[in-house]
Amino acid sequence: SNAISTHGNQYVFTTRDPALYLSLPHRMSEAVSVQLVLKYSVGQEYVGRLERTIEVLREHPSAPPLHAKLYIDDGTGCSESNSLTVPLPLESDSGVATLTFPLRRSDSMRALRLDPIENAVAIVEVNKIELHAGNLTKPLRITKSNAEHVKDNRHAFMTDDPSLHLEVPTGMERADALVLELKYLVRDAYVKAIGEIVAEDAAANFMKD
């Protein structure tokens, strides 16, 4: 299942493309039909149930101190041996952090993966992502995010392993530093904001349908 939460036979989805994968009984490779009896929660009932699920995230403690990690893909994939970690200077549940990852000119970069926070759920607003090489500064584009909700530059994650994949500009495989300005909502600020985002997104989807 691609549900965000499972309780017994109850599945809570936050995607518009929910899926359940079924296994066939032994020695029953041929069948005429599949019969399912399902109970659905939609509309406001769904929003309420999802918000109760989100409240469980309060029980997921953030591992202090908070930090971010950058994986440098030199063409062989991302690995811990080719990664950098920097602390997140957050004194409260929300705030703007400027992060600098020093890079070595000897490293060849084909792609970059940023984990904006490690071992914690968060809402991250991306204000700036830049590569610095000498006097040259290049903004980077986000090509992929595993956030459940993305709107403009806001990425609302519902996993404690959030990631942003960054596109390295053509011809710029080496640089001095990656500099980011990110705004974070974590802990109680996250729980309050994610409930509003989920309700807003669900209402928009129901109106569209």
Side-chain angles (χ1 to χ4, degrees):
S1 145
N2 62 352
I4 187 177
S5 178
T6 303
H7 304 283
N9 62 347
Q10 179 186 99
Y11 299 84
V12 181
F13 298 95
T14 58
T15 171
R16 298 190 70 191
D17 187 26
L20 295 173
Y21 295 85
L22 310 177
S23 62
L24 289 174
H26 183 57
R27 294 181 179 177
M28 197 173 179
S29 59
E30 296 182 4
V32 177
S33 65
V34 177
Q35 184 181 68
L36 305 100
V37 179
L38 305 175
K39 180 181 179 180
Y40 290 85
S41 294
V42 296
Q44 287 304 311
E45 183 183 354
Y46 163 80
V47 173
R49 189 177 296 274
L50 185 54
E51 286 178 340
R52 289 192 294 274
T53 299
I54 291 168
E55 283 294 325
V56 176
L57 293 171
R58 284 184 185 273
E59 302 172 6
H60 193 298
S62 300
L66 298 176
H67 60 276
K69 182 175 284 189
L70 178 70
Y71 291 91
I72 303 168
D73 183 358
D74 59 3
T76 59
C78 297
S79 66
E80 293 294 332
S81 62
N82 205 11
S83 67
L84 300 168
T85 302
V86 297
L88 288 178
L90 296 179
E91 297 180 357
S92 65
D93 287 357
S94 63
V96 176
T98 300
L99 309 178
T100 300
F101 289 92
L103 303 172
R104 296 178 302 182
R105 281 299 186 107
S106 59
D107 291 334
S108 176
M109 299 180 300
R110 300 294 179 85
L112 298 171
R113 187 188 111 190
L114 172 71
D115 290 3
I117 191 168
E118 288 276 287
N119 301 318
V121 289
I123 296 170
V124 180
E125 291 185 14
V126 180
N127 295 332
K128 179 176 71 174
I129 304 180
E130 295 177 342
L131 266 184
H132 292 195
N135 296 324
L136 184 64
T137 298
K138 284 279 191 179
L140 298 192
R141 186 173 68 90
I142 297 172
T143 59
K144 183 181 177 183
S145 165
N146 67 347
E148 284 292 338
H149 304 271
V150 179
K151 183 177 181 181
D152 299 325
N153 65 335
R154 182 185 67 184
H155 298 254
F157 297 97
M158 297 181 77
T159 171
D160 61 0
D161 187 25
S163 65
L164 299 171
H165 293 256
L166 311 178
E167 182 179 56
V168 176
T170 303
M172 196 174 181
E173 293 186 358
R174 290 173 174 81
D176 299 313
L178 177 71
V179 179
L180 309 101
E181 184 179 283
L182 307 174
K183 180 179 180 181
Y184 289 85
L185 296 179
V186 296
R187 302 187 182 97
D188 286 349
Y190 167 84
V191 173
K192 180 178 183 298
I194 196 68
E196 296 172 355
I197 291 170
V198 167
E200 172 189 309
D201 191 59
N205 287 340
F206 292 132
M207 289 179 65
K208 185 184 298 182
D209 294 341

